[in-house]
Each structure stands twice: as structure tokens, then as C-alpha cells.
Amino acid sequence: MATQIKVYGHHIDVFNHVNNARYLEFYEEARWAWLENHNLLNFLLKNNLGMVAVNININYCQGAVLFDQLTVISRLERIGTKSASCYQQIIREKNGKKTLISDVTVTFVFVELATNKSVVISGELLEHLEPLLQGESDQFIEVN
């Protein structure tokens, strides 16, 4: 799934590019949209479950600047017994050329909101996640 984000002044730091911490916000915004779009958010809320990031590995490739139109692409990359991981890229398209700005792998667990304890990924939760593994690979830029 692709989420569009336009870079505005409040995203820019003193060096006139998007601050590194803002990329994490861009990625999180896209993950929320991705969860909503795949109806996973409704399932989680209905079942009193939440998602908690436990590891983030981010690569910064190029700086994004004021008024850049960025596309954040997200896909589920792996489902384990207790954790899963999402792979995302931020891409800038300018003058017909796509440039990789950043990519990230986020590992997360599902927790029962009442107890804050992680749960095994099985049953209905697994059924909701498995279709997301197929992703939209054709939109990603190949990373060497």
C-alpha cells in the first residue's frame, strides 16, 4: 500500500532537510493507514489487541527537502510465532525518476491491551495477517 506525504516547513531542520526523527513519524503514519486499509485495525480494536514495535532498523539514503512529494510503501515481510515484521520504503518521484530516500524494517508484537502481555500469532490474528504477506512488491525500489 502507498501513502502520500508532502514535506512542509515543520518537517525541516536547521540543515534544510527532513530531520531523521521525522522519517519514523512518516513510517508510522503509513503503517496506521496500512492497518486501516487492510481492516486489521478494526480487528485489533475489537479483540482488545495492540501492536508494539520492538525493533526498528532504518537506513537513510538521501535527504528529503521542502515540498517533496513522498510515497511511503508498506508490506508485511515476515510472520513468526510471537512477532512479525513490516518492510517500508520512502520514495521521491521527481521528473519521472524514482529515488529511494529511506527504508526500514519494523519488528512488532501483538499485546493484549488489558494485560500488556504479548500474544502468540495464531487463529484469527494469523488469518488477518497472512494476506498482507503478498504485498505490492512491484512498487518497491530494488535495494542493493
Side-chain angles (χ1 to χ4, degrees), residues 82-114:
K82 281 210 140 186
S83 68
S85 60
C86 172
Y87 177 71
Q88 298 174 281
Q89 288 183 344
I90 295 177
I91 297 168
R92 175 179 51 223
E93 189 166 353
K94 197 180 236 178
N95 301 324
K97 183 181 180 212
K98 291 183 178 184
T99 304
L100 180 65
I101 300 299
S102 173
D103 69 336
V104 69
T105 300
V106 179
T107 303
F108 53 90
V109 298
F110 294 92
V111 297
E112 291 179 343
L113 294 177

Side-chain angles (χ1 to χ4, degrees), residues 33-45 128 132:
W34 178 64
L35 291 173
E36 272 187 307
N37 186 60
H38 288 70
N39 208 26
L40 186 56
L41 186 56
N42 286 337
F43 171 80
L44 294 174
L45 293 173
H128 275 81
L132 302 181

